[in-house]
Amino acid sequence: MSIPVFCALLLTALAAAMDLKEHRIPNFLAVAGWIAGAGLWMGFRGFRGIPVWFLGSICLGTAGILVWRLGGIGAGDVKLLSALGGMLSWKRGLWVFFAALVLTVAFGAIILWRQGQLALFWPRMKKDLSGLLDRNGKNDGEEQTKICFAVMLFLAVLLRAAREWWWLH
């Protein structure tokens, strides 16, 4: 496991614990992640590491804003994603982001199945996606299934760490 992935694992573990307990991610975690990411990349590459950090932060922050616009995640999750992108680089960061999205959809389907509401899953997804394309955003009047996205990010970083460990051994 690389140092950036280990640091991302620590950051997402703290964020997941706070998200589960308080249902919010404090700003100091995102700021700490941005500072740690900048420090990591400057330590690896000197000042040439700043563009890597910046590009990763912008890529994952933009992806997070798109999902936030759908109503899928909160603003704290967007800031956490941006910090993760700065830590991991854009390539690893997008891998973690898409893995977290897949995990979120899977866990959401399981939760709805356990509640006996699985038939509502695809119509909700279709409505939210069409709302985004129509520039209306999310439908605030409709009840949503709440899933702590920071937990899914932690699981996705854990998968990334396992993948890197497997490739190294």
Side-chain angles (χ1 to χ4, degrees):
M1 169 176 14
S2 64
I3 294 171
V5 172
F6 178 74
C7 291
L9 201 56
L10 292 176
L11 180 69
T12 54
L14 285 172
M18 292 185 169
D19 199 8
L20 284 171
K21 183 180 179 187
E22 301 174 11
H23 298 290
R24 62 181 299 273
I25 299 170
N27 289 336
F28 76 84
L29 276 181
V31 172
W34 283 317
I35 291 170
L40 281 170
W41 287 107
M42 284 183 66
F44 292 146
R45 298 186 180 178
F47 284 107
R48 291 176 308 197
I50 294 296
V52 175
W53 167 76
F54 186 72
L55 184 62
S57 289
I58 293 298
C59 281
L60 254 68
T62 302
I65 287 172
L66 291 174
V67 177
W68 170 74
R69 179 82 170 97
L70 267 174
I73 61 176
D77 296 316
V78 174
K79 291 178 266 188
L80 179 64
L81 273 170
S82 179
L84 273 177
M87 247 185 216
L88 295 172
S89 80
W90 71 271
K91 240 182 201 179
R92 281 191 211 147
L94 285 176
W95 190 96
V96 166
F97 174 70
F98 287 119
L101 286 180
V102 169
L103 288 169
T104 302
V105 169
F107 276 90
I110 290 169
I111 289 170
L112 288 173
W113 174 69
R114 290 190 72 213
Q115 294 173 348
Q117 298 179 355
L118 188 58
L120 300 175
F121 182 70
W122 291 115
R124 278 187 191 174
M125 291 279 291
K126 182 180 176 186
K127 187 175 184 179
D128 285 343
L129 287 173
S130 65
L132 177 68
L133 295 175
D134 294 340
R135 298 182 184 204
N136 294 332
K138 66 178 183 173
N139 184 2
D140 290 327
E142 187 176 312
E143 181 182 328
Q144 294 182 337
T145 303
K146 302 288 183 188
I147 297 174
C148 293
F149 191 66
V151 174
M152 299 303 127
L153 282 172
F154 171 72
L155 293 175
V157 172
L158 200 57
L159 285 173
R160 181 65 194 199
R163 181 176 183 259
E164 285 187 8
W165 178 84
W166 182 77
W167 281 106
L168 291 175
H169 290 87

